[in-house]
């Protein structure tokens, strides 16, 4: 019976678009791991279900009966959230820029998780151990572009005669951005515009735009020019370098390569517009389709744009353009409304068990939901190469890289809402970078496998170049050790110590043992020249938090070593 319930949940994921057919076996195995089951007996005949709640109740009841889940309402809610977390993973993020041309001040931003550039460090003088570069998730191609002309005049909010109304909304329940505006053009035409876009949660390489223009006071000729522009730069480049170089550009797709780091990405578009005859314009790094239609007063012209966004993290470079075209084509084949339904179902599952309701304070309610929304969309646990950058992908500040914030503040949220497998991936991220942490420590003179995890990183190497932070804010090592303790305490997954955790703890303990020194004058051990977590005072001695977490980390490593030896 339990195998039937597991298959029902898998079928639910397939039917709602939460998972793709190619993922069925993987998702089933993830559910078995969550349920702590070793065997699966394929049900005979067609497996049907009535509703999601009954499936989850069957699975949770079984987990309670076998002692996998405690029998109380909180534990039950958390467990069915873990089950749903298996079904819901997006590597591409886009800022809230306008689709159409805008000549006023703005900061365009489109980012692909894990694709970065090693921007050469800019400092007044070098110090031993300074990183050679600051890794940053770089601004990628502007794929949302839809330029619009009304009776020959470009639609540009910075130059129109009047903006009569403007409304923009982030629907956090579905991760959909909607913008509505009414403007009067300088040529006298009044138009209403509605733009809706989203990055698909279920089809992780697909972006979708619906752009509607309605003439309000007279008939008008409307020109649409959906485009992709890969000729982009980062506003925060240390030496004003351009980080991308062109690989190829065709009628509907362009492919670029990052300098130095060698990542490649391709973007392709597929478009739809009733009554349109398209022609293409292609320039280096730029793809553009153009069509003109006429609409009577009150009749909308609606463009649909489907963009495939693929990177060499997931495809061979030679296959990228074809992959991006296939993603865009599949989006067009599915259609906007079906994709929006998929998005709505996927995000409903993502929110399941995560929401926090605050009564009587709308501002606090919106604030806490915004925080949850940012965490949900920034990290899904689908790729161990990715992590959680401060400010997520909302701009260039912090570069989309990893800080100790992940272990100190974010891990508890994912443990409680996304399930053991996702939380474990955050720990595995650091385990996979242990060799780099040992290298970082060795640059500063530490030895024998001592590990100093970086303050800022995207691949395990230190990227931060402020002396008082890079070399003195070493309490970050303790946060990584404590995260292992926190995870095991919450999930009961003590096997993680033997699999990965103990190696990390020993490396961190060796660092502390060498960093702490004996003071003959005080007849005590001391920890000199550190910066505490509040960063108010630099280069202080015996900071309480740093000293405490250092001692705790060594004690915990010793306990963990004993446990692994005995078990």
């Amino acid at each position: 019976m339990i195998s039937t319930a597991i298959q029902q949940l898998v079928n639910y994921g397939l039917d709602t678009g939460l998972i793709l057919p190619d993922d069925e076996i993987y998702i089933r195995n993830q559910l078995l791991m969550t349920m702590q089951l070793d065997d699966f007996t394929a049900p005979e005949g067609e497996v049907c279900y009535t509703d999601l709640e009954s499936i989850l109740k069957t699975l949770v009841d079984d987990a309670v009966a076998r002692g996998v889940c405690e029998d109380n309402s909180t534990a039950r809610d958390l467990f069915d959230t873990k089950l749903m977390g298996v079904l819901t993973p997006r590597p591409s993020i886009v800022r809230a820029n306008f689709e159409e041309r805008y000549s006023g001040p703005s900061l365009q931003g489109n980012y692909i998780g894990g694709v970065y550039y090693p921007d050469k460090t800019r400092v007044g003088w070098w110090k031993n151990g300074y990183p050679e570069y600051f890794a940053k998730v770089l601004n990628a191609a502007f794929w949302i572009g839809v330029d619009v002309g009304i009776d020959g005049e470009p639609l540009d909010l910075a130059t129109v005669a009047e903006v009569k109304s403007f409304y923009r909304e982030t629907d956090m329940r579905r991760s959909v951005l909607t913008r509505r505006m009414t403007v009067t053009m300088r040529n006298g035409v009044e138009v209403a515009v509605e733009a809706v876009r989203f990055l698909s949660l279920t089809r992780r390489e697909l972006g979708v735009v619906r752009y509607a223009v309605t003439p309000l006071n007279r008939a008008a000729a409307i020109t649409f020019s959906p485009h992709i522009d890969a000729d982009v730069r980062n506003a925060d480049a240390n030496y004003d370098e351009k980080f991308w170089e062109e690989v190829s550009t065709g009628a509907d797709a362009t492919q670029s390569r990052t300098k130095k780091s060698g990542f490649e990405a391709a973007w392709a578009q597929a478009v739809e517009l009733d009554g349109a005859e398209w022609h293409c314009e292609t320039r280096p790094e730029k793809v553009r389709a153009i069509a003109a239609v006429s609409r009577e007063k009150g009749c909308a012209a609606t463009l649909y744009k489907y963009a495939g966004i693929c990177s060499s993290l997931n495809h061979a470079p030679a296959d990228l353009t074809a992959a991006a075209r296939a993603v865009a084509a599949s989006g067009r084949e599915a259609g906007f409304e079906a994709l929006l339904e998929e998005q709505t179902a996927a995000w409903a599952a993502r929110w399941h068990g995560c929401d926090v309701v605050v009564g009587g304070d709308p501002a606090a309610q919106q604030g806490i939901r915004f925080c949850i929304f940012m965490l949900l969309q920034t990290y899904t646990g689908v790729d161990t190469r990715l992590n959680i950058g401060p400010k997520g992908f909302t701009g260039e500040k912090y570069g989309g890289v990893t800080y100790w914030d992940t272990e100190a503040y974010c891990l508890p949220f994912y443990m409680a809402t996304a399930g053991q497998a996702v939380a474990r991936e955050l720990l595995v991220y650091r385990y996979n970078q242990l060799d780099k942490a040992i290298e970082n420590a060795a640059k500063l003179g530490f030895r024998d496998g001592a590990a100093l995890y970086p303050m800022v990183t995207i691949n395990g190497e230190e990227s931060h170049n402020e002396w008082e932070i890079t070399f003195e804010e070493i309490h970050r090592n303790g946060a990584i050790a404590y995260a292992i303790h926190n995870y095991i305490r919450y999930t009961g997954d003590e096997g993680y110590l033997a699999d990965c955790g103990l190696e990390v703890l020993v490396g961190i303990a060796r660092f502390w043992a060498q960093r702490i020194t004996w003071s003959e004058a005080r007849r005590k051990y001391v920890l000199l020249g550190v910066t505490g977590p509040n960063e108010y005072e630099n280069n202080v001695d015996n900071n309480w938090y740093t000293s405490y977490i250092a001692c705790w980390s060594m004690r915990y490593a010793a306990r963990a070593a004993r446990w692994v030896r005995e078990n």
Side-chain angles (χ1 to χ4, degrees), residues 365-401:
Q365 178 67 85
Q366 186 184 54
I368 196 165
R369 280 183 171 150
F370 181 74
C371 293
I372 294 170
F373 171 67
M374 293 303 296
L375 287 166
L376 290 178
Q377 72 166 358
T378 299
Y379 184 77
T380 63
V382 73
D383 191 334
T384 57
R385 296 168 295 184
L386 306 181
N387 206 272
I388 308 154
K391 294 178 69 69
F393 291 95
T394 59
E396 295 181 13
K397 179 64 176 174
Y398 294 112
V401 294

Side-chain angles (χ1 to χ4, degrees), residues 42 49 79-80 188 192 265 270 276 331 374 402 406 523 547 559 561:
Y49 60 90
F79 195 80
D80 73 30
M374 293 303 296
T402 307
T406 290
R523 305 299 298 171
S547 299
R559 291 202 306 272

Side-chain angles (χ1 to χ4, degrees), residues 382-437:
V382 73
D383 191 334
T384 57
R385 296 168 295 184
L386 306 181
N387 206 272
I388 308 154
K391 294 178 69 69
F393 291 95
T394 59
E396 295 181 13
K397 179 64 176 174
Y398 294 112
V401 294
T402 307
Y403 285 67
W404 63 287
D405 308 43
T406 290
E407 287 77 18
Y409 313 129
C410 301
L411 177 65
F413 172 82
Y414 292 98
M415 288 194 300
T417 64
Q420 177 177 323
V422 172
R424 199 180 205 264
E425 294 300 281
L426 287 172
L427 301 185
V428 171
Y429 176 88
R430 295 292 193 179
Y431 172 75
N432 289 340
Q433 296 179 354
L434 177 59
D435 288 346
K436 292 289 187 182

Side-chain angles (χ1 to χ4, degrees), residues 66-93:
R66 292 184 295 106
V68 176
C69 172
E70 294 180 10
D71 191 10
N72 60 68
S73 59
T74 300
R76 284 174 169 269
D77 287 344
L78 290 172
F79 195 80
D80 73 30
T81 299
K82 292 177 183 178
L83 292 169
M84 288 305 301
V86 174
L87 301 186
T88 55
R90 184 182 60 169
S92 178
I93 306 292

